[in-house]
């Protein structure tokens, strides 16, 4: 186990290395699924106009799950991030739970904002730089409580933004952050993912 600073965890070389490993294994699949999402955003902009992206209820109903949960073809990326308390629970065979570091609403809004600003279209590596949006951290049930970890409001769509969450400022009452240096990423459903990538390669998204 390696201790991480909550505000700068993303600069840690172990974290970078594990994210690189995940991207090398499944990045093509993530990009293929993400391209499908961008295709839908383009169609929504074309038929509804840009104002649709300011409709908080539409974002909650349509994009929270489509982008936040399933934007890269899986709901979570695990690289071995865990809190100190959760690590203790795990060693003692007590229940722990995964927390989505950024959350579905923040993910959806981050992607939408980048899409509207042309950043995704202008940078073919945008997703590789931002797929950490789907990272999960294992915490205890107590730490997962709303009083311990701040959340975006799914009813009002009030949002804790990307930069705030990246520095883990919403982790108010949570023990020290650790990373399991021995954690091994598991690739599953290989044939299905290869088929998705192959299908994507035959599509002109312009």
């Amino acid at each position: 186990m390696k201790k991480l600073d909550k505000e700068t965890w993303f600069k840690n070389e172990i974290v970078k290395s594990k994210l690189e490993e995940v991207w090398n294994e499944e990045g093509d699949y993530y990009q293929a699924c993400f391209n499908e999402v961008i295709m839908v955003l383009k169609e929504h902009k074309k038929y509804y106009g840009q104002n649709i992206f300011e409709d908080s209820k539409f974002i909650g109903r349509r994009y929270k799950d489509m982008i936040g949960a399933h934007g890269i073809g899986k709901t979570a990326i695990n690289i071995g991030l865990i809190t100190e308390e959760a690590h203790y629970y795990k060693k003692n065979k007590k229940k722990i739970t995964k927390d989505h570091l950024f959350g579905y609403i923040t993910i959806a809004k981050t992607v939408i904002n980048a899409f509207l600003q042309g950043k995704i279209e202008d940078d073919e590596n945008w997703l590789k730089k931002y797929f950490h949006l789907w990272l999960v951290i294992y915490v205890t049930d107590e730490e997962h409580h709303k009083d311990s970890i701040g959340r975006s409001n799914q009813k009002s769509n009030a949002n804790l933004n990307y930069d705030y969450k990246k520095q883990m400022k919403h982790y108010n009452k949570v023990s020290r952050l650790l990373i399991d240096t021995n954690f091994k990423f598991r690739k599953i459903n290989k044939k299905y993912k290869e088929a998705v990538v192959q299908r994507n390669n035959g599509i002109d998204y312009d």
Side-chain angles (χ1 to χ4, degrees), residues 152-204:
S152 298
N153 190 311
Q154 295 193 12
K155 290 184 178 179
S156 68
N157 216 27
N159 180 51
L160 298 176
N161 70 31
Y162 167 79
D163 290 323
Y164 186 88
K165 286 190 169 183
K166 187 178 181 182
Q167 297 179 49
M168 295 183 71
K169 292 181 178 180
H170 59 309
Y171 273 52
N172 303 315
K173 300 175 183 177
V174 176
S175 57
R176 182 186 291 272
L177 179 65
L178 308 174
I179 187 165
D180 182 354
T181 54
N182 295 317
F183 179 84
K184 299 297 182 184
F185 176 76
R186 292 191 306 120
K187 187 174 182 178
I188 60 174
N189 299 325
K190 184 177 179 180
K191 288 185 178 180
Y192 167 75
K193 291 174 179 177
E194 287 175 349
V196 172
V197 171
Q198 186 175 9
R199 181 180 65 208
N200 174 76
N201 289 340
I203 297 175
D204 182 0

Side-chain angles (χ1 to χ4, degrees), residues 6-173:
K6 290 177 184 174
E7 291 192 5
T8 60
W9 62 271
F10 48 89
K11 296 180 180 179
N12 181 272
E13 291 304 319
I14 297 173
V15 172
K16 290 180 179 179
S17 176
K18 287 187 176 293
L19 286 171
E20 186 73 20
E21 177 188 349
V22 173
W23 183 263
N24 288 340
E25 286 288 337
E26 294 197 330
D28 288 347
Y29 170 69
Y30 300 159
Q31 189 67 61
C33 295
F34 191 70
N35 287 347
E36 296 170 359
V37 168
I38 299 304
M39 183 192 302
V40 173
L41 292 181
K42 287 180 177 179
E43 290 300 299
H44 284 175
K45 183 179 179 182
K46 177 180 176 181
Y47 287 101
Y48 298 135
Q50 189 157 317
N51 288 341
I52 194 65
F53 301 113
E54 298 174 7
D55 185 334
S56 61
K57 290 185 178 180
F58 188 83
I59 290 173
R61 175 172 62 83
R62 178 58 59 211
Y63 298 142
K64 179 174 71 70
D65 290 333
M66 185 186 81
I67 301 175
H70 304 289
I72 57 170
K74 65 190 304 181
T75 60
I77 293 174
N78 183 11
I79 60 169
L81 294 172
I82 190 170
T83 65
E84 194 168 47
E85 193 72 11
H87 176 55
Y88 174 79
Y89 273 38
K90 185 178 180 181
K91 287 196 300 182
N92 289 277
K93 302 186 184 304
K94 297 176 69 176
K95 181 178 177 291
I96 59 176
T97 189
K98 61 184 177 185
D99 179 66
H100 290 80
L101 175 57
F102 290 92
Y104 293 164
I105 290 178
T106 299
I107 294 171
K109 286 198 167 186
T110 301
V111 171
I112 289 168
N113 288 339
F115 167 74
L116 292 176
Q117 294 168 17
K119 293 180 179 179
I120 295 173
E121 192 167 6
D122 292 343
D123 184 358
E124 62 180 12
N125 293 314
W126 188 91
L127 183 61
K128 183 178 181 180
K129 296 173 183 176
Y130 284 90
F131 80 102
H132 61 263
L133 282 164
W134 285 268
L135 277 174
V136 291
I137 298 174
Y138 277 88
V139 299
T140 67
D141 283 350
E142 294 83 358
E143 288 176 323
H144 200 240
H145 193 272
K146 64 181 180 180
D147 291 337
S148 299
I149 299 176
R151 292 172 172 80
S152 298
N153 190 311
Q154 295 193 12
K155 290 184 178 179
S156 68
N157 216 27
N159 180 51
L160 298 176
N161 70 31
Y162 167 79
D163 290 323
Y164 186 88
K165 286 190 169 183
K166 187 178 181 182
Q167 297 179 49
M168 295 183 71
K169 292 181 178 180
H170 59 309
Y171 273 52
N172 303 315
K173 300 175 183 177

